[in-house]
Amino acid sequence: MAFACFFVSNAQIVINEIDADTPSTDVKEFIELKSTTPFFALDGYSVVFFNGGSGSGNLSYYAVDLDGLTTDGNGIILLANAQVIPSGSFILPNNVIQNGPDAVAIYAGDAVDFPIGTVSTNTNLITALVYSNNGTSLASTLMTDFGVSVSYNENSNGAAATQSIQRKSDGTYEVKAPTPRTTNDGSGIIYDGITTTFSPSSPISEGQNLTITFSTDTPVTSNLNFTVNLTNNSFNTSDYIGNLNVTIPSGASSASTVIQLLNDGINDGDEEMLIKIGTVPSEYIILNNNNIVRVNDVNFSVLPFGTPANPTYGNVTSTAPIGYYDSLEGKSGATLKQAIQDIIANPNVVRAHTYGDIISILKTADQNPENSNQVWLIYTEQPRSKIDYQTENSIIGKWNREHIYPQSRGNYGDFYNFPPDGINVWVPTGPDDIAAGLSDAHHLRAVDGQENSSRNNKNYGTEYNGPSANPTSTWKGDVARAVFYMAVRYNGLNVVNGNPNDNIIGQLGDLSTLLTWNQTDTRDDFEMNRNNYIYTWQMNRNPFIDYPLLADYVFGNNYGQTWSSALSNSSFDTAKIVLYPNPAKDYFTVSGITSEATIEIYSALGQKVFQENFAGEARLNFNLSSGIYLAKITSDGFTTTKKVIIE
């Protein structure tokens, strides 16, 4: 605790003012920070808000990364709702700061280190303020956690809605009328702030016009002239035309310029414009400089197959060399599993690349079939621009690399954790090279940064079934086949039934769930395409994508039975069986069957409501009530089940 107190008493930046309890719907909340020196860069700091109410657990509920922000000549910076006057340098969502008993803390660290629900800690703590709007209800455990002895009551004068908690020169706090973006004692420089807004909101596309507006807190008393720069990495003066010399006339408080985004007819990929105001007179401060505007390239290409959310089948075929799997024929049980490993972990053939190379691999392997400038994100099943790969601390709106078989459970280490060096630089690898699991693309997928954090290292089925909001299921078979691959490719990795403890290295569950997912979410063109592409880098394939049925012979009910590739080459290939349209009204067509078959349709209660025999592709008419049904299709002794929605 002495460590925390040291930082609290010697902080270079403090909490100068907070207004948590404001009138009506809390649209004028703010927090003001103050540095001991003016123009102090806040890179490497974050502000974290903690709930200290009864039974709250002292957990964080909101965090702000301060990278890129700088205090003004008074050492002050304001983080505020959009309706706070004067404007803040960072806009907070409305009604985000709780009234208390709560706490706000400044840390040396990043907001990503404090996801929602993080327990209060004094590690890397700079300073903290514990407060409430009720003097009888204190966040006493937060006071202990942060090493402070006083909790301040915003309602101490009976006027919480119109007063704020403000720091005095002696380091204590008092409650009085709010003074956002000015010193609490009324001294110092009075700045006129310049705010940048633009329309339409980001993202925009080539060929569109962007109106950028610059506004001051108060009308200017003489012409305010400044220049604007838009260049950022590959986005340069060849990408736009427009006037970048701006004048706010005397007596006015705003001026605008229109920028035309040019379409050069070439796919250069999505880019980012950076709106940055140049030097301004000393009586002004730039509040929200460095605004990023996404510019989407409209000249993207499209692949001839569907996304995982709208899959297609049979358009992409395996590029496995002739005879690649011949050694599996006639084998069963442990002998079959070993034969698979001998292929996919052959040290004379298989190649390992760096973890940095995975970024390049995923940009092609996981490319959105509908837009070559995007990757497709697993779990959330949505596209995202390739340039949104997470390179800094924030995970919001970013994508990164998801290990289907988690790093902590695989214990891969950092042996391959190096920058990218390309497809032609590689090292041999074998079944005992567990370190290669860090950068094995067959179980690495592009994923939303926040969803990656939510999934963490949880077991599939028992602990993790996808996003809690907008849940999807079209990724589940992909996950199952990736886990099966890892459990064969590397000695020491296993897939087991149940919910194994995450402290047990080399175990991941739930096997029975994954076997079901392998059947219900069949292999599609997207998955086959990524298998083909990864093969060009690693010189091995995921056999459970080429032969999904193989999983049942290695891990499932067919274990011990003799394998033959003819089992997957029969007229019944579950990956190619499609029912369309789906949703349907009074009929659907069954495609992908070449022999005689039977279809049975069951209601959500398990009651059989339809049965019909057919041969080959067939249109089936029915009269069923609206709802969700299961269609069971049987042919050549094999069965698959498909979900059907009747409108």
Side-chain angles (χ1 to χ4, degrees):
M1 192 60 66
F3 178 77
C5 291
F6 171 82
F7 278 102
V8 169
S9 60
N10 293 277
Q12 286 187 296
I13 184 166
V14 297
I15 298 161
N16 199 50
E17 185 174 357
I18 185 169
D19 195 354
D21 192 348
T22 64
S24 186
T25 54
D26 280 339
V27 295
K28 294 187 177 182
E29 300 170 334
F30 69 84
I31 180 171
E32 182 183 88
L33 312 180
K34 191 175 189 300
S35 58
T36 55
T37 57
F39 306 111
F40 183 78
L42 297 174
D43 296 337
Y45 293 94
S46 60
V47 176
V48 185
F49 296 85
F50 291 90
N51 190 335
S54 177
S56 67
N58 297 340
L59 305 179
S60 66
Y61 66 88
Y62 186 66
V64 177
D65 204 310
L66 300 179
D67 287 352
L69 299 177
T70 303
T71 62
D72 62 20
N74 295 317
I76 286 175
I77 188 167
L78 180 67
L79 289 65
N81 294 159
Q83 293 188 32
V84 172
I85 300 174
S87 300
S89 297
F90 182 93
I91 303 302
L92 297 173
N94 289 337
N95 195 28
V96 69
I97 303 179
Q98 297 182 10
N99 294 340
D102 294 312
V104 59
I106 301 175
Y107 286 93
D110 305 307
V112 68
D113 299 326
F114 297 90
I116 294 174
T118 301
V119 178
S120 57
T121 175
N122 61 24
T123 302
N124 296 323
L125 178 69
I126 303 300
T127 187
L129 173 66
V130 179
Y131 67 92
S132 71
N133 65 352
N134 184 338
T136 61
S137 181
L138 302 178
S140 55
T141 54
L142 278 174
M143 295 168 65
T144 301
D145 289 348
F146 295 137
V148 298
S149 58
V150 180
S151 174
Y152 291 93
N153 176 16
E154 188 176 352
N155 197 42
S156 59
N157 299 324
T162 57
Q163 294 188 333
S164 65
I165 301 172
Q166 303 178 32
R167 191 175 189 271
K168 298 190 296 184
S169 58
D170 63 2
T172 62
Y173 290 81
E174 62 182 338
V175 176
K176 61 180 184 177
T179 60
R181 222 182 73 205
T182 58
T183 59
N184 296 337
D185 62 7
S187 63
I189 307 166
I190 303 298
Y191 287 102
D192 197 355
I194 305 173
T195 303
T196 303
T197 57
F198 50 87
S199 179
S201 59
S202 180
I204 62 174
S205 298
E206 291 178 336
Q208 286 187 276
N209 289 341
L210 180 73
T211 300
I212 309 175
T213 301
F214 306 94
S215 304
T216 55
D217 293 334
T218 60
V220 300
T221 56
S222 61
N223 286 357
L224 171 59
N225 302 304
F226 54 86
T227 60
V228 180
N229 180 63
L230 305 179
T231 300
N232 183 43
N233 296 323
S234 63
F235 185 87
N236 54 48
T237 54
S238 67
D239 293 307
Y240 66 90
I241 55 175
N243 180 24
L244 299 183
N245 295 308
V246 178
T247 297
I248 299 180
S250 178
S253 57
S254 67
S256 298
T257 185
V258 177
I259 304 299
Q260 181 182 355
L261 283 302
L262 303 178
N263 179 7
D264 59 8
I266 301 172
N267 184 21
D268 301 311
D270 297 341
E271 297 175 304
E272 289 183 329
M273 172 198 302
L274 179 66
I275 305 173
K276 184 174 183 178
I277 300 174
T279 303
V280 297
S282 60
E283 64 266 31
Y284 295 92
I285 59 168
I286 305 168
L287 295 177
N288 63 331
N289 216 7
N290 302 318
N291 289 274
I292 294 290
V293 179
R294 171 63 44 77
V295 180
N296 289 336
D297 198 311
V298 298
N299 301 290
F300 56 83
S301 59
V302 178
L303 294 171
F305 56 87
T307 69
N310 295 288
T312 58
Y313 304 89
N315 296 327
V316 181
T317 57
S318 171
T319 58
I322 295 174
Y324 187 75
Y325 292 112
D326 282 357
S327 60
L328 307 185
E329 296 296 307
K331 293 185 171 62
S332 62
T335 304
L336 174 61
K337 182 179 180 181
Q338 183 60 56
I340 297 172
Q341 187 187 69
D342 291 342
I343 297 172
I344 65 175
N346 183 349
N348 297 314
V349 177
V350 180
R351 302 172 179 179
H353 294 273
T354 71
Y355 193 40
D357 283 320
I358 288 298
I359 303 168
S360 298
I361 294 173
L362 293 183
K363 286 181 178 180
T364 298
D366 288 358
Q367 179 174 301
N368 176 16
E370 296 178 344
N371 187 329
S372 57
N373 295 328
Q374 301 172 338
V375 290
W376 188 264
L377 306 183
I378 198 169
Y379 305 142
T380 55
E381 298 289 50
Q382 61 184 173
R384 185 155 299 163
S385 179
K386 290 179 179 179
I387 66 173
D388 282 327
Y389 180 77
Q390 180 189 342
T391 57
E392 297 179 348
N393 298 313
S394 176
I395 60 177
I396 299 173
K398 303 297 182 179
W399 67 274
N400 52 34
R401 298 161 289 190
E402 157 71 337
H403 288 85
I404 300 300
Y405 203 112
Q407 294 189 66
S408 61
R409 290 176 180 264
N411 196 27
Y412 308 125
D414 288 325
F415 184 79
Y416 289 95
N417 193 10
F418 292 101
D421 48 26
I423 192 171
N424 294 320
V425 180
W426 51 274
V427 296
T429 179
D432 293 320
D433 183 15
I434 192 66
L438 176 74
S439 53
D440 193 319
H442 282 302
H443 86 123
L444 281 152
R445 294 290 295 264
V447 65
D448 172 75
Q450 290 175 290
E451 192 59 32
N452 190 3
S453 178
S454 297
R455 189 262 157 152
N456 198 359
N457 65 352
K458 298 173 183 174
N459 293 299
Y460 290 106
T462 55
E463 294 180 314
Y464 184 77
N465 286 282
S468 55
N470 302 317
T472 59
S473 60
T474 50
W475 52 269
K476 292 182 175 179
D478 303 46
V479 159
R481 290 178 281 274
V483 172
F484 297 151
Y485 163 85
M486 293 295 287
V488 176
R489 163 67 175 87
Y490 296 97
N491 290 334
L493 298 188
N494 300 281
V495 53
V496 300
N497 282 312
N499 193 36
N501 191 288
D502 58 9
N503 293 324
I504 303 176
I505 302 299
Q507 288 194 9
L508 183 66
D510 167 50
L511 174 59
S512 62
T513 296
L514 294 169
L515 286 168
T516 299
W517 287 358
N518 181 51
Q519 295 178 354
T520 56
D521 175 35
T522 55
R523 177 201 70 209
D524 56 24
D525 289 328
F526 182 92
E527 197 177 0
M528 181 61 80
N529 179 72
R530 81 182 311 272
N531 198 21
N532 291 343
Y533 182 70
I534 293 169
Y535 177 68
T536 66
W537 280 76
Q538 297 185 180
M539 300 306 294
N540 69 351
R541 301 182 63 84
N542 184 338
F544 301 101
I545 294 176
D546 291 329
Y547 293 114
L549 189 62
L550 190 59
D552 291 322
Y553 285 75
V554 177
F555 301 102
N557 293 332
N558 297 112
Y559 183 84
Q561 298 179 20
T562 301
W563 168 258
S564 170
S565 60
L567 295 168
S568 288
N569 292 331
S570 71
S571 61
F572 191 86
D573 187 343
T574 59
K576 297 180 180 178
I577 298 175
V578 181
L579 280 68
Y580 66 90
N582 191 7
K585 291 185 177 179
D586 50 13
Y587 80 92
F588 54 70
T589 298
V590 182
S591 174
I593 294 286
T594 59
S595 60
E596 293 183 355
T598 300
I599 183 169
E600 301 168 283
I601 298 180
Y602 293 85
S603 69
L605 298 177
Q607 180 182 6
K608 185 192 294 185
V609 294
F610 179 87
Q611 179 173 331
E612 188 169 323
N613 298 325
F614 64 98
E617 184 168 319
R619 171 171 167 157
L620 305 175
N621 299 302
F622 51 79
N623 182 18
L624 298 174
S625 302
S626 298
I628 298 176
Y629 297 82
L630 292 179
K632 179 181 178 183
I633 304 169
T634 304
S635 179
D636 290 343
F638 297 95
T639 297
T640 188
T641 302
K642 307 282 185 178
K643 183 172 72 173
V644 178
I645 300 174
I646 307 300
E647 294 181 333

